[in-house]
Amino acid sequence: MNQPKPTGNLVDLRAHRRETHGTVEPEITFHRQELERILNLYSFMVAAGEWRDYAIDFMQDRAVFSVYRRAREVPLYQIVKEPKRARRQGEWSVVTGEGLVVKRGRDLALVLRVFDRQLKIVRD
């Protein structure tokens, strides 16, 4: 029996990107526990009506979780992981849409506490 001929070529995407763009795959990502902590905060803020959308970007030097009130706006906040800053100022930071660093530190849980004031739900 004749087997069908393959119709395409198998391409190593990492090698192809290196050759065509001179770049490699992003290296900085969020670990599962980090992303879980960030998404827990995000879900609480969505339930409170403060945040409505998010985006995650992985780059060579950092990973960014951006939160939005509306999808077409600049982000309200960005939760940034930059390992190269780990020894000096801490690898975690919360940055406003205007670029102002609100909080920076080595522990994600402590850095995210900057949102604690906004997390209170008042019931009548």
Side-chain angles (χ1 to χ4, degrees):
M1 296 191 124
N2 291 339
Q3 291 193 2
K5 280 184 147 180
T7 57
N9 295 329
L10 184 61
V11 176
D12 179 3
L13 288 177
R14 197 174 294 165
H16 175 71
R17 286 184 182 134
R18 235 180 272 126
E19 291 170 7
T20 58
H21 302 293
T23 60
V24 293
E25 294 283 318
E27 295 179 8
I28 309 301
T29 61
F30 296 113
H31 298 290
R32 179 179 290 206
Q33 295 86 2
E34 296 165 348
L35 194 55
E36 182 178 331
R37 186 174 298 270
I38 293 169
L39 287 173
N40 283 339
L41 170 66
Y42 174 78
S43 65
F44 192 88
M45 295 300 273
V46 167
E50 295 291 321
W51 297 349
R52 294 185 187 253
D53 202 4
Y54 72 91
I56 301 175
D57 296 302
F58 301 123
M59 296 171 239
Q60 284 290 322
D61 60 338
R62 66 185 176 268
V64 180
F65 187 95
S66 303
V67 294
Y68 299 86
R69 184 161 303 177
R70 291 178 193 83
R72 294 182 183 224
E73 294 181 346
V74 296
L76 288 173
Y77 296 100
Q78 293 182 319
I79 301 165
V80 182
K81 177 182 179 182
E82 287 182 278
K84 69 179 180 181
R85 295 182 180 263
R87 287 186 170 192
R88 290 178 282 155
Q89 301 161 330
E91 69 180 323
W92 293 100
S93 59
V94 173
V95 182
T96 65
E98 293 83 30
L100 175 68
V101 177
V102 179
K103 181 84 171 168
R104 189 182 302 270
R106 289 177 171 81
D107 183 12
L108 175 61
L110 293 176
V111 170
L112 293 180
R113 291 185 78 190
V114 73
F115 296 108
D116 282 355
R117 289 170 287 173
Q118 301 173 6
L119 296 180
K120 295 183 173 120
I121 296 177
V122 178
R123 299 180 195 258
D124 290 355

